[in-house]
Amino acid sequence: SAVISQKPSRDICQRGTSLTIQCQVDSQVTMMFWYRQQPGQSLTLIATANQGSEATYESGFVIDKFPISRPNLTFSTLTVSNMSPEDSSIYLCSVVGTSGSNTGELFFGEGSRLTVL
Amino acid sequence: ELKVEQNPLFLSMQEGKNYTIYCNYSTTSDRLYWYRQDPGKSLESLFVLLSNGAVKQEGRLMASLDTKARLSTLHITAAVHDLSATYFCASAYGQNFVFGPGTRLSVLP
């Protein structure tokens, strides 16, 4: 299975500021996914980060608010810009397994819990 | 558009009892997943179901898949407090994953 490290694991942020979340995978993957989980809710896909091209955003999410970088096949960042209390969520990085019995399975990082005051 | 529903959304049950969580998905899917999430934690993969009639068991949990009915079930046998968590099913087609709303399970002594 893929080992995914995210940081920060949690943070408390002030309204109007921006925060960048880092995601490191222990193997090379083509696509990395960023999800948001608002309190008490399910997971919503923000965007798919592809190495060497711009991220693909889902409906309701825009690059100005959630810029993503994907400099190589093992690393990605998600920035939450100009934060408001409504951005308080867990942000999860995930990848799809590509080897053996893990092929096609979605693995998650530990998550980054953001609280915006 | 692929949609995934779960039933029930909240479940409170006594230790030792059995219960089933249902997961319905709306369109063609080639994989069905079950995840567990403890409060404040990330998602832990429980089962991956790949084909019609697939059944997988781990401890007190058993998952099954009926692709014709577009239905998966997660059966809990003789529940214990440690199973208290939120359980998500997710349907996948290619690289597209859609998650259900989750079932919040509380197992009471």
Side-chain angles (χ1 to χ4, degrees):
Chain A
S1 63
V3 176
I4 305 170
S5 301
Q6 272 186 249
K7 57 181 179 181
S9 58
R10 58 177 61 231
D11 207 339
I12 299 174
C13 308
Q14 296 298 318
R15 183 195 298 259
T17 63
S18 299
L19 182 78
T20 296
I21 302 167
Q22 298 179 4
C23 177
Q24 179 76 50
V25 188
D26 68 342
S27 58
Q28 293 185 337
V29 292
T30 305
M31 289 190 285
M32 297 175 74
F33 305 92
W34 287 99
Y35 285 87
R36 180 176 74 180
Q37 186 180 28
Q38 294 176 302
Q41 302 296 313
S42 186
L43 280 71
T44 301
L45 182 64
I46 298 172
T48 302
N50 307 296
Q51 198 272 331
S53 64
E54 283 200 2
T56 304
Y57 288 83
E58 297 299 306
S59 175
F61 297 96
V62 295
I63 188 171
D64 290 346
K65 176 67 176 178
F66 297 101
I68 286 172
S69 78
R70 184 78 201 275
N72 57 53
L73 291 174
T74 63
F75 187 79
S76 178
T77 67
L78 169 75
T79 298
V80 186
S81 303
N82 188 26
M83 286 185 283
S84 67
E86 293 71 34
D87 294 319
S88 297
S89 297
I90 300 175
Y91 292 86
L92 294 153
C93 171
S94 67
V95 302
V96 175
T98 57
S99 63
S101 61
N102 297 324
T103 300
E105 187 168 350
L106 192 62
F107 296 96
F108 288 91
E110 309 97 327
S112 299
R113 179 185 288 270
L114 301 188
T115 302
V116 184
L117 303 178
Chain B
E1 180 186 352
L2 180 59
K3 290 187 178 181
V4 179
E5 297 177 340
Q6 286 181 237
N7 178 38
L9 299 181
F10 298 92
L11 176 58
S12 181
M13 56 191 299
Q14 286 189 315
E15 282 190 326
K17 298 293 186 182
N18 305 331
Y19 208 83
T20 300
I21 300 171
Y22 297 88
C23 172
N24 290 91
Y25 53 96
S26 62
T27 60
T28 301
S29 167
D30 56 19
R31 308 186 300 286
L32 194 291
Y33 301 87
W34 284 96
Y35 290 89
R36 168 180 172 147
Q37 186 178 37
D38 292 299
K41 304 291 186 181
S42 187
L43 277 74
E44 172 192 357
S45 178
L46 295 175
F47 300 108
V48 180
L49 303 168
L50 301 177
S51 59
N52 187 45
V55 177
K56 290 194 174 180
Q57 183 165 4
E58 181 72 33
R60 300 175 187 274
L61 301 178
M62 183 174 70
S64 65
L65 179 62
D66 180 344
T67 59
K68 294 179 182 178
R70 294 179 179 162
L71 170 69
S72 179
T73 62
L74 180 67
H75 186 72
I76 303 157
T77 302
V80 293
H81 179 69
D82 285 351
L83 290 179
S84 297
T86 299
Y87 294 84
F88 292 94
C89 66
S91 181
Y93 190 77
Q95 299 279 2
N96 181 27
F97 290 80
V98 178
F99 285 80
T103 296
R104 186 174 297 180
L105 171 66
S106 294
V107 181
L108 306 175

mmCIF file with all atom_site columns, all heavy atoms in Angstrom, chain A residues 7-18:
data_model
loop_
_atom_site.group_PDB
_atom_site.id
_atom_site.type_symbol
_atom_site.label_atom_id
_atom_site.label_alt_id
_atom_site.label_comp_id
_atom_site.label_asym_id
_atom_site.label_entity_id
_atom_site.label_seq_id
_atom_site.pdbx_PDB_ins_code
_atom_site.Cartn_x
_atom_site.Cartn_y
_atom_site.Cartn_z
_atom_site.occupancy
_atom_site.B_iso_or_equiv
_atom_site.pdbx_formal_charge
_atom_site.auth_seq_id
_atom_site.auth_comp_id
_atom_site.auth_asym_id
_atom_site.auth_atom_id
_atom_site.pdbx_PDB_model_num
ATOM 1  N N   . LYS A 1 7  ? 1.360   17.326 5.817  1.00 0.00 ? 7  LYS A N   1
ATOM 2  C CA  . LYS A 1 7  ? 1.596   18.285 6.873  1.00 0.00 ? 7  LYS A CA  1
ATOM 3  C C   . LYS A 1 7  ? 1.169   19.671 6.445  1.00 0.00 ? 7  LYS A C   1
ATOM 4  O O   . LYS A 1 7  ? 1.220   19.979 5.242  1.00 0.00 ? 7  LYS A O   1
ATOM 5  C CB  . LYS A 1 7  ? 3.065   18.288 7.312  1.00 0.00 ? 7  LYS A CB  1
ATOM 6  C CG  . LYS A 1 7  ? 4.087   18.547 6.251  1.00 0.00 ? 7  LYS A CG  1
ATOM 7  C CD  . LYS A 1 7  ? 5.479   18.475 6.889  1.00 0.00 ? 7  LYS A CD  1
ATOM 8  C CE  . LYS A 1 7  ? 6.573   18.703 5.854  1.00 0.00 ? 7  LYS A CE  1
ATOM 9  N NZ  . LYS A 1 7  ? 7.925   18.609 6.470  1.00 0.00 ? 7  LYS A NZ  1
ATOM 10 N N   . PRO A 1 8  ? 0.641   20.472 7.370  1.00 0.00 ? 8  PRO A N   1
ATOM 11 C CA  . PRO A 1 8  ? 0.536   20.145 8.782  1.00 0.00 ? 8  PRO A CA  1
ATOM 12 C C   . PRO A 1 8  ? -0.602  19.171 9.047  1.00 0.00 ? 8  PRO A C   1
ATOM 13 O O   . PRO A 1 8  ? -1.503  19.018 8.233  1.00 0.00 ? 8  PRO A O   1
ATOM 14 C CB  . PRO A 1 8  ? 0.244   21.512 9.413  1.00 0.00 ? 8  PRO A CB  1
ATOM 15 C CG  . PRO A 1 8  ? -0.540  22.222 8.367  1.00 0.00 ? 8  PRO A CG  1
ATOM 16 C CD  . PRO A 1 8  ? 0.072   21.796 7.052  1.00 0.00 ? 8  PRO A CD  1
ATOM 17 N N   . SER A 1 9  ? -0.572  18.530 10.197 1.00 0.00 ? 9  SER A N   1
ATOM 18 C CA  . SER A 1 9  ? -1.672  17.645 10.554 1.00 0.00 ? 9  SER A CA  1
ATOM 19 C C   . SER A 1 9  ? -2.878  18.456 11.030 1.00 0.00 ? 9  SER A C   1
ATOM 20 O O   . SER A 1 9  ? -4.028  18.030 10.881 1.00 0.00 ? 9  SER A O   1
ATOM 21 C CB  . SER A 1 9  ? -1.232  16.667 11.636 1.00 0.00 ? 9  SER A CB  1
ATOM 22 O OG  . SER A 1 9  ? -0.773  17.372 12.772 1.00 0.00 ? 9  SER A OG  1
ATOM 23 N N   . ARG A 1 10 ? -2.592  19.606 11.607 1.00 0.00 ? 10 ARG A N   1
ATOM 24 C CA  . ARG A 1 10 ? -3.667  20.501 12.008 1.00 0.00 ? 10 ARG A CA  1
ATOM 25 C C   . ARG A 1 10 ? -3.109  21.906 12.141 1.00 0.00 ? 10 ARG A C   1
ATOM 26 O O   . ARG A 1 10 ? -1.905  22.095 12.346 1.00 0.00 ? 10 ARG A O   1
ATOM 27 C CB  . ARG A 1 10 ? -4.327  20.058 13.317 1.00 0.00 ? 10 ARG A CB  1
ATOM 28 C CG  . ARG A 1 10 ? -3.395  19.959 14.497 1.00 0.00 ? 10 ARG A CG  1
ATOM 29 C CD  . ARG A 1 10 ? -4.150  19.574 15.760 1.00 0.00 ? 10 ARG A CD  1
ATOM 30 N NE  . ARG A 1 10 ? -4.792  18.278 15.643 1.00 0.00 ? 10 ARG A NE  1
ATOM 31 C CZ  . ARG A 1 10 ? -6.070  18.064 15.928 1.00 0.00 ? 10 ARG A CZ  1
ATOM 32 N NH1 . ARG A 1 10 ? -6.848  19.041 16.334 1.00 0.00 ? 10 ARG A NH1 1
ATOM 33 N NH2 . ARG A 1 10 ? -6.587  16.848 15.814 1.00 0.00 ? 10 ARG A NH2 1
ATOM 34 N N   . ASP A 1 11 ? -4.002  22.876 11.997 1.00 0.00 ? 11 ASP A N   1
ATOM 35 C CA  . ASP A 1 11 ? -3.588  24.257 12.170 1.00 0.00 ? 11 ASP A CA  1
ATOM 36 C C   . ASP A 1 11 ? -4.805  25.108 12.478 1.00 0.00 ? 11 ASP A C   1
ATOM 37 O O   . ASP A 1 11 ? -5.930  24.770 12.073 1.00 0.00 ? 11 ASP A O   1
ATOM 38 C CB  . ASP A 1 11 ? -2.884  24.779 10.917 1.00 0.00 ? 11 ASP A CB  1
ATOM 39 C CG  . ASP A 1 11 ? -1.886  25.888 11.228 1.00 0.00 ? 11 ASP A CG  1
ATOM 40 O OD1 . ASP A 1 11 ? -2.022  26.525 12.299 1.00 0.00 ? 11 ASP A OD1 1
ATOM 41 O OD2 . ASP A 1 11 ? -0.974  26.127 10.398 1.00 0.00 ? 11 ASP A OD2 1
ATOM 42 N N   . ILE A 1 12 ? -4.560  26.181 13.180 1.00 0.00 ? 12 ILE A N   1
ATOM 43 C CA  . ILE A 1 12 ? -5.587  27.182 13.447 1.00 0.00 ? 12 ILE A CA  1
ATOM 44 C C   . ILE A 1 12 ? -5.160  28.439 12.731 1.00 0.00 ? 12 ILE A C   1
ATOM 45 O O   . ILE A 1 12 ? -4.041  28.932 12.933 1.00 0.00 ? 12 ILE A O   1
ATOM 46 C CB  . ILE A 1 12 ? -5.747  27.418 14.965 1.00 0.00 ? 12 ILE A CB  1
ATOM 47 C CG1 . ILE A 1 12 ? -6.182  26.130 15.650 1.00 0.00 ? 12 ILE A CG1 1
ATOM 48 C CG2 . ILE A 1 12 ? -6.771  28.523 15.213 1.00 0.00 ? 12 ILE A CG2 1
ATOM 49 C CD1 . ILE A 1 12 ? -6.235  26.223 17.164 1.00 0.00 ? 12 ILE A CD1 1
ATOM 50 N N   . CYS A 1 13 ? -6.038  28.938 11.884 1.00 0.00 ? 13 CYS A N   1
ATOM 51 C CA  . CYS A 1 13 ? -5.660  30.047 10.993 1.00 0.00 ? 13 CYS A CA  1
ATOM 52 C C   . CYS A 1 13 ? -6.596  31.232 11.202 1.00 0.00 ? 13 CYS A C   1
ATOM 53 O O   . CYS A 1 13 ? -7.745  31.066 11.600 1.00 0.00 ? 13 CYS A O   1
ATOM 54 C CB  . CYS A 1 13 ? -5.729  29.589 9.538  1.00 0.00 ? 13 CYS A CB  1
ATOM 55 S SG  . CYS A 1 13 ? -4.812  28.074 9.202  1.00 0.00 ? 13 CYS A SG  1
ATOM 56 N N   . GLN A 1 14 ? -6.094  32.384 10.873 1.00 0.00 ? 14 GLN A N   1
ATOM 57 C CA  . GLN A 1 14 ? -6.887  33.595 10.940 1.00 0.00 ? 14 GLN A CA  1
ATOM 58 C C   . GLN A 1 14 ? -7.590  33.835 9.613  1.00 0.00 ? 14 GLN A C   1
ATOM 59 O O   . GLN A 1 14 ? -7.059  33.534 8.526  1.00 0.00 ? 14 GLN A O   1
ATOM 60 C CB  . GLN A 1 14 ? -5.999  34.797 11.291 1.00 0.00 ? 14 GLN A CB  1
ATOM 61 C CG  . GLN A 1 14 ? -5.368  34.703 12.681 1.00 0.00 ? 14 GLN A CG  1
ATOM 62 C CD  . GLN A 1 14 ? -6.400  34.665 13.791 1.00 0.00 ? 14 GLN A CD  1
ATOM 63 O OE1 . GLN A 1 14 ? -7.383  35.394 13.770 1.00 0.00 ? 14 GLN A OE1 1
ATOM 64 N NE2 . GLN A 1 14 ? -6.183  33.794 14.758 1.00 0.00 ? 14 GLN A NE2 1
ATOM 65 N N   . ARG A 1 15 ? -8.766  34.379 9.709  1.00 0.00 ? 15 ARG A N   1
ATOM 66 C CA  . ARG A 1 15 ? -9.531  34.759 8.509  1.00 0.00 ? 15 ARG A CA  1
ATOM 67 C C   . ARG A 1 15 ? -8.690  35.633 7.589  1.00 0.00 ? 15 ARG A C   1
ATOM 68 O O   . ARG A 1 15 ? -7.963  36.520 8.053  1.00 0.00 ? 15 ARG A O   1
ATOM 69 C CB  . ARG A 1 15 ? -10.784 35.512 8.955  1.00 0.00 ? 15 ARG A CB  1
ATOM 70 C CG  . ARG A 1 15 ? -11.732 35.925 7.852  1.00 0.00 ? 15 ARG A CG  1
ATOM 71 C CD  . ARG A 1 15 ? -12.712 36.955 8.385  1.00 0.00 ? 15 ARG A CD  1
ATOM 72 N NE  . ARG A 1 15 ? -13.532 36.403 9.467  1.00 0.00 ? 15 ARG A NE  1
ATOM 73 C CZ  . ARG A 1 15 ? -14.770 35.983 9.307  1.00 0.00 ? 15 ARG A CZ  1
ATOM 74 N NH1 . ARG A 1 15 ? -15.339 36.041 8.104  1.00 0.00 ? 15 ARG A NH1 1
ATOM 75 N NH2 . ARG A 1 15 ? -15.466 35.521 10.319 1.00 0.00 ? 15 ARG A NH2 1
ATOM 76 N N   . GLY A 1 16 ? -8.737  35.347 6.305  1.00 0.00 ? 16 GLY A N   1
ATOM 77 C CA  . GLY A 1 16 ? -8.036  36.161 5.315  1.00 0.00 ? 16 GLY A CA  1
ATOM 78 C C   . GLY A 1 16 ? -6.638  35.680 4.984  1.00 0.00 ? 16 GLY A C   1
ATOM 79 O O   . GLY A 1 16 ? -6.035  36.152 4.013  1.00 0.00 ? 16 GLY A O   1
ATOM 80 N N   . THR A 1 17 ? -6.114  34.772 5.756  1.00 0.00 ? 17 THR A N   1
ATOM 81 C CA  . THR A 1 17 ? -4.772  34.252 5.485  1.00 0.00 ? 17 THR A CA  1
ATOM 82 C C   . THR A 1 17 ? -4.851  33.038 4.561  1.00 0.00 ? 17 THR A C   1
ATOM 83 O O   . THR A 1 17 ? -5.931  32.535 4.253  1.00 0.00 ? 17 THR A O   1
ATOM 84 C CB  . THR A 1 17 ? -4.055  33.865 6.784  1.00 0.00 ? 17 THR A CB  1
ATOM 85 O OG1 . THR A 1 17 ? -4.775  32.809 7.433  1.00 0.00 ? 17 THR A OG1 1
ATOM 86 C CG2 . THR A 1 17 ? -3.968  35.066 7.724  1.00 0.00 ? 17 THR A CG2 1
ATOM 87 N N   . SER A 1 18 ? -3.698  32.556 4.143  1.00 0.00 ? 18 SER A N   1
ATOM 88 C CA  . SER A 1 18 ? -3.606  31.381 3.281  1.00 0.00 ? 18 SER A CA  1
ATOM 89 C C   . SER A 1 18 ? -2.715  30.344 3.937  1.00 0.00 ? 18 SER A C   1
ATOM 90 O O   . SER A 1 18 ? -1.793  30.691 4.697  1.00 0.00 ? 18 SER A O   1
ATOM 91 C CB  . SER A 1 18 ? -3.043  31.758 1.913  1.00 0.00 ? 18 SER A CB  1
ATOM 92 O OG  . SER A 1 18 ? -3.880  32.700 1.265  1.00 0.00 ? 18 SER A OG  1
#
